Amino acid sequence: MIGNQLCMYAFFTDILRKEGAAEAARFARSCGFEAAEILEAVRPGAPYLFADVQAVERARAMMGAQGVRCACWSVSINILSDTLGPQSDRSGVEMLKRSADHARIMGAPFLHHTLTIGYTPPEGALPTVEALLPRLFERAEQVAAYAN
């Protein structure tokens, strides 16, 4: 619940991906939700949830027409990756910046993220959490500075 509004999380993004924003918002409203949390899982080879800024703008308009707003934009990403996603030249940092842009356009007041989903250490190396934290912090700070 966000304030006094119910927020749909489960299934919203699945419906959005399969049926589009208008149908996802219609379904959310039919269940009594006034807001939704969008999950963008960024995985190598997986299609982006939204192809471009214009697609995000269209989705926001369609959701708004149904009376549904984006309460939170969630992202699961491997920010430690130097190449990620269908466009292998984009790093985890660049992909998270893209998600921050989409969250802003969608009007989401929050960008919720999991930063090391799917991280696999290099062959024969098991770095400690302490060894990964400086790199993780540096990259997260880059995104935070960009988003502000």
Side-chain angles (χ1 to χ4, degrees), residues 12-31:
F12 185 83
T13 300
D14 290 334
I15 298 168
L16 177 69
R17 195 180 289 280
K18 293 174 186 167
E19 306 284 334
E23 180 57 25
R26 186 207 61 74
F27 180 76
R29 286 301 289 172
S30 74
C31 295

Side-chain angles (χ1 to χ4, degrees), residues 1 5-10 12 24-36 66-69:
M1 183 176 284
Q5 295 181 329
L6 294 176
C7 177
M8 182 178 188
Y9 175 71
F12 185 83
R26 186 207 61 74
F27 180 76
R29 286 301 289 172
S30 74
C31 295
F33 295 103
E34 299 168 337
Q66 296 286 333
V68 175
R69 66 180 184 83

Side-chain angles (χ1 to χ4, degrees), residues 119-138:
Y119 174 73
T120 304
E123 183 81 28
L126 280 177
T128 64
V129 169
E130 290 81 12
L132 290 175
L133 285 178
R135 187 169 161 213
L136 179 66
F137 290 159
E138 174 195 342

Side-chain angles (χ1 to χ4, degrees), residues 7 9 12-13 16 36-42 48-53 55-57 59-60 63 69-76 95-114:
C7 177
Y9 175 71
F12 185 83
T13 300
L16 177 69
E37 181 172 345
I38 295 174
L39 171 62
E40 185 168 39
V42 181
Y48 298 129
L49 185 57
F50 294 103
D52 53 35
V53 167
V56 179
E57 290 168 342
R60 181 178 181 176
M63 289 170 61
R69 66 180 184 83
C70 181
C72 180
W73 187 282
S74 292
V75 154
S76 60
M95 293 301 302
L96 192 53
K97 287 178 180 179
R98 180 182 190 273
S99 292
D101 287 339
H102 288 185
R104 179 186 48 77
I105 292 163
M106 186 59 80
F110 303 102
L111 174 63
H112 168 244
H113 46 69
T114 302

